[in-house]
Amino acid sequence: MKTIIEPFRIKSVEPIHFTSAGQRRQLLQEAAYNPFLLKARDVIIDLLTDSGTGAMSSAQWAGIMNGDESYAGSDSFFRFEEAVRNLTAMPYIIPVHQGRAAEKILFTVKGGKGKYVLSNTLFDTTRANIEFSGATGVDLLCPEGHDPAVAAPFKGNIDLDALTAFIGQHDPADISMVILTVTNNSGGGQPVSMENIKAARAICNQHHIPFFIDCCRFAENCYFIKHREAGYAHKTVLEIAQELFSYADGCTMSAKKDAFANIGGFLALHDAQLAEECRNLLIITEGFPTYGGLAGRDLDAIAIGLTEIVDEDYLKYRIRSIEYIGEKLESHNIPFLKPTGGHAIYLDAKAFLDHIPAHQYPGQALSCALYLEGGVRGVEIGSVMFGKYDADGKLTPSAMELVRLAIPRRTYTQSHMDYLAEVIIAVYENRSAIKGLKITYETPFLRHFTAKFETV
Ligand code: F0G
């Protein structure tokens, strides 16, 4: 097999600023061992997120110049609406400034005290918006999704038995919706199969429960369906995506992921009444329904991005580049979440740093070590992000201790990925010297963004 090359040439570049190991030690100390508090210019390879950090194409930049900045009824909106409708076939398409704005609006209408929202795994902003409305978010991930070492093809699936059982134990009228996150970001960027989507939809139908999709990474999910699920090999990713959306009553989207945009999102719906209620809220917080908190030019960038993202040469390179890092780690027996997912490598910090107990935050310690070794910035997805305190103030750790290295779209080349693998391998070889951390400052919600740490 020949090397799968980046399916683009580079027309505009952005410099990387290099730092020495000594400088990084100083900078990390100043950032209180929280990579979120580092300045981006002090990072060599920034894998904090794949959200809004990708490179736009020349066609998207040309689209930016075509942006129509009219307050109401701009041409940009109609181009955006057409692109979203071509994918989703949903009649009501509401632009928003990013994914969580769609979530805030949707759950203000559909959430509330006494309600439940069921999911494979809710992303943290989705859960926060559900809980902020007074409703309860419930994750019902399939059993194989909880084990980082088992390599199953669709580890993002919802547990259908658990879904049926939950509905049986509650009044279906109290279940606002089932919303599947594709791919399942918090669970390792793992895909959901079409079979699972269809089955979840059928269960919802029996009980008149709306079925939604958090479709931030729909194209990556559909690429996995094409290559892993029987009956899809001959279909295009666009056709698979259209089928996926055909099962949903609505979807929330962050265009910062699978639309190659730096900002934006949408809420798309079938129900006219729900769409009207959502638009009423949109006008208060986001803007007029044809721009929803975005500039006209952003709408054009999204419209073009949505057509580029289903390009299978791109998706092949995208998924392969993540798998490539996985193979390098595997050859050194480095523990990571298997199989590699759509947008990130998730290191298994619990196994990687098995000498550091959960209350000394092995994921945070590992992400700090990657920065010190090579200026790589990732994010802890473990007990800093999800840990809770019990009544005695004792930490209830997260089930998994992961470090996510999210790969921005079309941004880094293969040599950056080779460098990344070298950094991870070097950290692994010296892992016994890595120390745990303790928290010296934290906020009551989403503490991982601002928490401060000291080494123990
Ligand atoms: N849903 C999923 C699955 C996400 O991954 C995100 C964002 C959102 C919703 C919210 O979208 O950021 O546009 O408001 N994920 C980013 C990440 C932040 O780093 O994974 P947003």
Side-chain angles (χ1 to χ4, degrees):
M1 189 170 59
K2 291 202 176 70
T3 301
I4 295 169
I5 60 171
E6 286 86 2
F8 48 79
R9 298 184 296 185
I10 296 167
K11 187 173 310 212
S12 175
V13 298
E14 199 182 346
I16 287 175
H17 302 279
F18 293 97
T19 46
S20 67
Q23 286 169 325
R24 289 196 291 276
R25 192 159 302 117
Q26 174 76 28
L27 291 162
L28 191 64
Q29 211 170 6
E30 285 164 15
Y33 297 92
N34 186 346
F36 271 108
L37 304 179
L38 290 166
K39 288 187 180 133
R41 68 150 37 238
D42 296 329
V43 175
I44 296 176
I45 305 278
D46 202 347
L47 309 180
L48 192 64
T49 179
D50 63 322
S51 179
T53 51
M56 290 210 292
S57 65
S58 50
Q60 282 179 296
W61 283 110
I64 291 266
M65 286 307 295
N66 262 328
D68 173 357
E69 304 302 341
S70 304
Y71 191 93
S74 74
D75 283 350
S76 299
F77 173 73
F78 294 110
R79 289 189 284 264
F80 162 84
E81 188 184 42
E82 194 188 321
V84 178
R85 190 163 294 142
N86 179 44
L87 268 177
T88 65
M90 294 189 197
Y92 304 103
I93 293 160
I94 300 172
V96 291
H97 82 272
Q98 62 183 86
R100 69 198 71 181
E103 295 162 359
K104 169 83 172 114
I105 290 170
L106 182 64
F107 295 115
T108 301
V109 179
K110 296 288 289 178
K113 211 168 169 345
K115 299 278 188 194
Y116 295 96
V117 177
L118 315 184
S119 181
N120 48 349
T121 311
L122 296 162
F123 181 65
D124 57 3
T125 60
T126 323
R127 175 174 286 281
N129 276 299
I130 291 164
E131 290 176 356
F132 189 72
S133 82
T136 306
V138 182
D139 291 342
L140 302 171
L141 185 62
C142 64
E144 60 272 29
H146 293 287
D147 183 350
V150 47
F154 291 104
K155 286 172 81 173
N157 283 352
I158 190 167
D159 182 335
L160 296 166
D161 294 335
L163 177 62
T164 307
F166 190 95
I167 297 170
Q169 289 153 8
H170 294 80
D171 180 351
D174 290 336
I175 301 174
S176 304
M177 67 176 69
V178 170
I179 181 165
L180 294 189
T181 312
V182 308
T183 57
N184 183 23
N185 183 8
S186 314
Q190 299 294 318
V192 181
S193 71
M194 195 73 89
E195 192 186 359
N196 190 252
I197 290 167
K198 281 201 289 204
R201 163 87 249 189
I203 294 169
C204 287
N205 277 356
Q206 282 168 14
H207 302 279
H208 307 287
I209 298 168
F211 180 71
F212 275 66
I213 296 185
D214 173 343
C215 63
C216 298
R217 299 180 179 85
F218 73 93
E220 290 168 6
N221 198 95
C222 292
Y223 185 83
F224 283 120
I225 290 176
K226 178 170 173 134
H227 293 278
R228 292 186 185 169
E229 190 164 353
Y232 289 93
H234 65 287
K235 295 199 170 150
T236 65
V237 167
L238 176 61
E239 287 165 345
I240 297 169
Q242 287 165 332
E243 179 183 340
L244 183 149
F245 285 110
S246 77
Y247 301 120
D249 294 305
C251 57
T252 56
M253 170 76 178
S254 168
K256 303 173 76 171
K257 284 86 171 173
D258 272 0
F260 289 127
N262 298 129
I263 196 74
F266 57 81
L267 175 60
L269 301 163
H270 275 292
D271 184 308
Q273 165 78 29
L274 176 59
E276 187 174 329
E277 287 178 64
C278 290
R279 280 197 180 122
N280 291 341
L281 286 176
L282 181 86
I283 293 177
I284 300 172
T285 57
E286 292 280 296
F288 190 75
T290 62
Y291 75 85
L294 295 168
R297 54 181 171 269
D298 301 323
L299 294 167
D300 272 299
I302 296 167
I304 296 164
L306 286 175
T307 64
E308 294 179 349
I309 200 82
V310 291
D311 171 29
E312 296 180 26
D313 289 332
Y314 159 74
L315 285 166
K316 182 179 184 182
Y317 135 81
R318 168 76 172 159
I319 303 302
R320 175 65 198 145
S321 65
I322 315 270
E323 200 178 53
Y324 175 77
I325 308 162
E327 283 167 8
K328 289 191 176 255
L329 301 187
E330 184 70 47
S331 69
H332 286 76
N333 293 318
I334 294 175
F336 65 96
L337 198 151
K338 287 173 197 142
T340 46
H343 66 293
I345 283 276
Y346 294 68
L347 298 175
D348 179 357
K350 203 188 269 185
F352 197 117
L353 297 180
D354 57 8
H355 61 288
I356 300 183
H359 69 272
Q360 292 180 6
Y361 304 108
Q364 192 72 17
L366 180 53
S367 66
C368 288
L370 294 170
Y371 178 72
L372 291 174
E373 177 66 33
V376 170
R377 174 157 73 168
V379 67
E380 191 257 15
I381 302 195
S383 293
V384 176
M385 194 178 271
F386 296 124
K388 296 252 185 315
Y389 294 113
D390 66 14
D392 305 326
K394 198 165 161 275
L395 180 81
T396 310
S398 157
M400 291 194 269
E401 304 287 349
L402 304 174
V403 172
R404 186 187 74 172
L405 303 168
I407 313 297
R409 293 171 183 74
R410 304 190 293 209
T411 304
Y412 291 111
T413 65
Q414 184 170 344
S415 74
H416 292 118
M417 296 302 105
D418 288 334
Y419 174 88
L420 169 66
E422 280 168 21
V423 170
I424 299 169
I425 293 162
V427 169
Y428 190 64
E429 280 165 0
N430 295 309
R431 64 192 179 283
S432 60
I434 298 171
K435 294 194 171 77
L437 295 165
K438 68 172 187 219
I439 294 185
T440 58
Y441 166 82
E442 63 185 299
T443 53
F445 294 105
L446 299 172
R447 65 174 178 173
H448 53 286
F449 290 125
T450 51
K452 296 186 177 171
F453 301 84
E454 267 171 17
T455 48
V456 289

